Amino acid sequence: MERDIFDEDHEAFREVVLEFIKRYVTNESIARWESDGEIDRATMLAAGEAGLIGLSVPEEFGGAGMLQDYRFRTIVMEEVIRAGAGSLAGAFGIQDDLAVPYVVHMGTDEQKAKWLPKMATGEVLGALAMTEPGAGSDLRGIKTTAKRVEGGYLVNGAKTFISSGKTADMVVTFVKTGEGNRPDAFSLVILENGMPGFEHGKKLSKMGFHGHDTAELSFTDVFVPQENLISGTEGKGFIQLMMNLPLERLSIAVAGAAAAEAAFEWTLAYTKDRQAFGERIIDFQNTRFQLADVAVTVDALWAYVDKALLAYKDGKLSAEEAAKIKFWATEREWEVVDTCVQLHGGYGYITEYPIARAFLDARVHRIYGGTNEIMRDIVSRQLAK
Ligand SMILES: Cc1cc2nc3c(=O)[nH]c(=O)nc-3n(C[C@H](O)[C@H](O)[C@H](O)COP(=O)(O)OP(=O)(O)OC[C@H]3O[C@@H](n4cnc5c(N)ncnc54)[C@H](O)[C@@H]3O)c2cc1C
């Protein structure tokens, strides 16, 4: 089904993205990212130069100024995922959807001036650290504290599963600044690489997204100056996280739809090429029926995701709507990618093939950004009101 949400500016931007992919996303670079376990800085700088990251950074700070128009980010994700580089799409997503928004929407003027120009170029990479070894879904159970001292805070604690945790230069970190677990007991502070007591733990060995680093972080009496408190106001951290959740969840839904579409396209081509019993794989009725189901699912995914993209642009995507689409899209993605692996036979299991990597990458979409059980909980609580 033809999609109708993109205008000429979006399509011109798609050409820029495709040009970048032609230069920087090759089989060799994907293999290198996978074996290094991270995206090299030169690629991130090239992405900054080409205007593929920092899309929501206002123009006065060197960005594209696409504050609410997530369609440009969608194009980046679609094309990078279609090129088989899910890890690169992940690294771009952490920068643009998890780190930059806290500075753009909630930063003080000084924070914007300090961080945004370099985040737009890729000179500064960001991360968001909420999860701890003992608290993921239940974020109010975190133990990392920021105790007020003269001129700032002393931060102690540990975080885990932090995407871009090894490569990031600054980490927006969820901490306790008060007693108990009331929403106003939490704040967001920016920790910077090189601050004494800020250590990077081991890079975690993951099932998928092998080309994107995920790490543990630990903090021992890290002095964080007052000016690194997001928005300059203590006790707003929980609300600030909630404010960015619709975007975070929308971005995972977009990644899910993009991966499902890419899997469909790769599989269509593969089954037309591959032969068995003297016929093309696509000539078996089972293959055609499976692909017909996948084609409809991909159409439905985009119809739903596109509607959410327009709602987000108009400032109307609620937390509940974002939760719905996150769990629905990532579960359809999972089914589609699994079907497509099967239609590739043994090659579907070999990670040189993008379909195998897409399968491994897809699994975490149902876990991070809030697990799909938590998404159902949010939606069902709203229904029960
Ligand atoms: C590759 C990867 C990248 C990540 N990147 C980041 C990042 O950049 N920053 C960051 O802060 N975090 C990140 N995370 C963490 C991720 O968001 C958490 O893993 C996720 O929120 C789940 O938390 P948990 O692992 O503690 O699971 P738990 O909360 O312990 O959940 C375990 C199980 O219990 C279920 N469960 C929990 N509570 C309920 C409930 N109320 N009702 C029903 N079921 C429930 C869950 O759905 C899950 O199935 C990442 C994780 C991974 C794997």
Side-chain angles (χ1 to χ4, degrees), residues 331-353:
E331 289 175 16
R332 299 298 76 72
E333 171 199 14
W334 178 249
E335 292 159 5
V336 163
V337 173
D338 184 49
T339 300
C340 291
V341 166
Q342 192 69 15
L343 292 175
H344 276 75
Y347 294 100
Y349 199 68
I350 303 301
T351 53
E352 236 175 73
Y353 280 70

Side-chain angles (χ1 to χ4, degrees), residues 94 98 127-139 160-164 206 209 214 248 364 367-374 377 381:
I94 296 303
L98 261 68
L128 174 68
M130 304 173 284
T131 308
E132 299 190 355
S137 303
D138 179 15
L139 277 179
T160 193
F161 303 144
I162 307 309
S163 302
S164 301
K206 306 189 295 282
F209 283 112
T214 304
E248 193 182 328
V364 81
I367 296 172
Y368 65 24
T371 67
N372 283 8
E373 292 72 41
I374 295 295
D377 194 49
R381 277 173 196 273

